[in-house]
Amino acid sequence: TSETDANLDPTNAVTLIFDHDLITDNPKPQVYTFLLRDHDRYPQQEYFEKNLKRFLEQCHKEFDRIKVVKKKKVQYIDNVADYHIVMFDKESELLSSVFAIINRQRPDICAVWNIAYDLPKMKARMERNNMNPVDIMSDPAFPQQCRFININVDNRPGIDIADRKTYIKMTSTTKYLDQMQTYANLRKGRKAYGSNSLDNISEIELGIHKRRFPKGVDVTNACIKDYWDFVLYNINDVWCQYLIDSVTSDLY
């Protein structure tokens, strides 16, 4: 929409999954979902907050053990994880917290599906909130004078995703990678697999689709019409990313 193109839409949901807790050495995956609290804009959100325990029970039911089907072979992958749902009254606090936890955990890689959208969008929202993206996104362990962010989005028309040169560099011990671009590049020249969408690649590698909404609801209005599934959709997407790499080992 024009609102999205102008970066007027707030960042209202971000999910991060860490292989394990790198600070406490907890071996279980850690799932952090950061949500923007706005009961007026998201009328079902208050019900969601009041029933958070039941929501977490559903997360465990749906994601603790996932059936993966590839080339008609079935396997079950255990993903028993700790879930952390954190609500923020201000978008600036949500955005700060996303990078604060990445910089505390300091993973080797942070994989994003279509990094050309998500990180530039978050940076633009920081700027609209009068925040300094360099200070927020960079690792604060580095001196101020060394911090930088370099975003290069390759939007050349007619260029296949496998040949695009999109990258995001910043002062951090964590390398930010476009998982979609990496997937396409490693399979360049092989038999065409169709769309680079997360939904299509997840179907190819896992036999799993992105979460489906009821009729009349989609990702553009789910936060208003079906908030419960909106949050599950957000978490499910990142589990799809996580599991794609589990079966392909593209990143590790």
Side-chain angles (χ1 to χ4, degrees):
T1 66
S2 58
E3 183 185 57
T4 302
D5 291 340
N7 295 314
L8 297 176
D9 51 324
T11 303
N12 59 4
V14 177
T15 291
L16 300 163
I17 298 179
F18 296 94
D19 282 326
H20 59 284
D21 193 320
L22 295 163
I23 297 173
T24 66
D25 288 331
N26 183 340
K28 290 198 292 185
Q30 301 296 304
V31 183
Y32 289 86
T33 298
F34 298 147
L35 302 171
L36 181 63
R37 180 184 287 113
D38 189 336
H39 291 174
D40 292 330
R41 186 174 177 121
Y42 315 123
Q44 299 175 2
Q45 193 176 60
E46 187 173 4
Y47 173 85
F48 170 83
E49 290 189 70
K50 288 180 178 178
N51 291 274
L52 193 55
K53 182 178 179 181
R54 186 163 66 86
F55 178 84
L56 294 175
E57 289 172 352
Q58 185 170 347
C59 286
H60 286 293
K61 182 178 179 180
E62 293 198 14
F63 304 126
D64 277 4
R65 186 170 172 80
I66 298 180
K67 180 182 177 180
V68 170
V69 182
K70 184 174 181 179
K71 296 180 179 179
K72 298 182 179 181
K73 293 183 179 180
V74 177
Q75 65 171 313
Y76 289 88
I77 298 179
D78 292 324
N79 296 297
V80 180
D82 292 328
Y83 288 86
H84 312 270
I85 306 293
V86 189
M87 309 293 298
F88 298 91
D89 292 318
K90 295 181 179 179
E91 184 189 10
S92 57
E93 295 173 348
L94 186 157
L95 291 166
S96 295
S97 295
V98 168
F99 292 94
I101 193 165
I102 292 173
N103 288 324
R104 283 201 306 272
Q105 292 281 346
R106 306 184 95 184
D108 293 328
I109 293 172
C110 179
V112 183
W113 200 272
N114 190 14
I115 205 170
Y117 177 82
D118 293 82
L119 264 68
K121 168 65 71 174
M122 295 171 78
K123 179 177 180 290
R125 287 304 302 170
M126 290 180 198
E127 290 166 347
R128 282 199 166 269
N129 280 283
N130 297 314
M131 303 163 69
N132 184 336
V134 173
D135 284 345
I136 299 299
M137 299 170 75
S138 297
D139 189 334
F142 290 87
Q144 179 76 39
Q145 63 269 27
C146 296
R147 299 177 199 170
F148 76 95
I149 299 172
N150 183 2
I151 296 179
N152 180 74
V153 177
D154 187 350
N155 285 325
R156 290 176 294 166
I159 301 297
D160 186 85
I161 185 65
D163 297 316
R164 292 193 185 276
K165 306 300 181 184
T166 293
Y167 62 80
I168 299 197
K169 298 179 181 179
M170 67 182 79
T171 312
S172 175
T173 58
T174 297
K175 185 174 181 63
Y176 289 78
L177 290 178
D178 187 340
Q179 191 175 356
M180 180 179 73
Q181 188 171 277
T182 301
Y183 183 92
N185 185 265
L186 289 173
R187 288 153 186 82
K188 182 178 178 180
R190 301 185 192 177
K191 185 178 179 180
Y193 52 79
S195 169
N196 291 291
S197 70
L198 179 60
D199 191 45
N200 183 54
I201 304 306
S202 183
E203 167 64 21
I204 291 170
E205 298 294 345
L206 309 171
I208 298 171
H209 283 288
K210 289 163 74 79
R211 189 175 185 83
R212 300 299 192 238
F213 291 113
K215 186 177 180 179
V217 180
D218 58 38
V219 70
T220 66
N221 62 20
C223 55
I224 296 169
K225 293 188 174 184
D226 190 353
Y227 194 83
W228 191 279
D229 274 339
F230 168 72
V231 182
L232 284 172
Y233 178 99
N234 191 272
I235 296 171
N236 183 79
D237 266 18
V238 189
W239 271 125
C240 285
Q241 283 186 249
Y242 183 97
L243 291 170
I244 286 170
D245 194 60
S246 293
V247 301
T248 64
S249 299
D250 284 353
L251 303 178
Y252 292 99

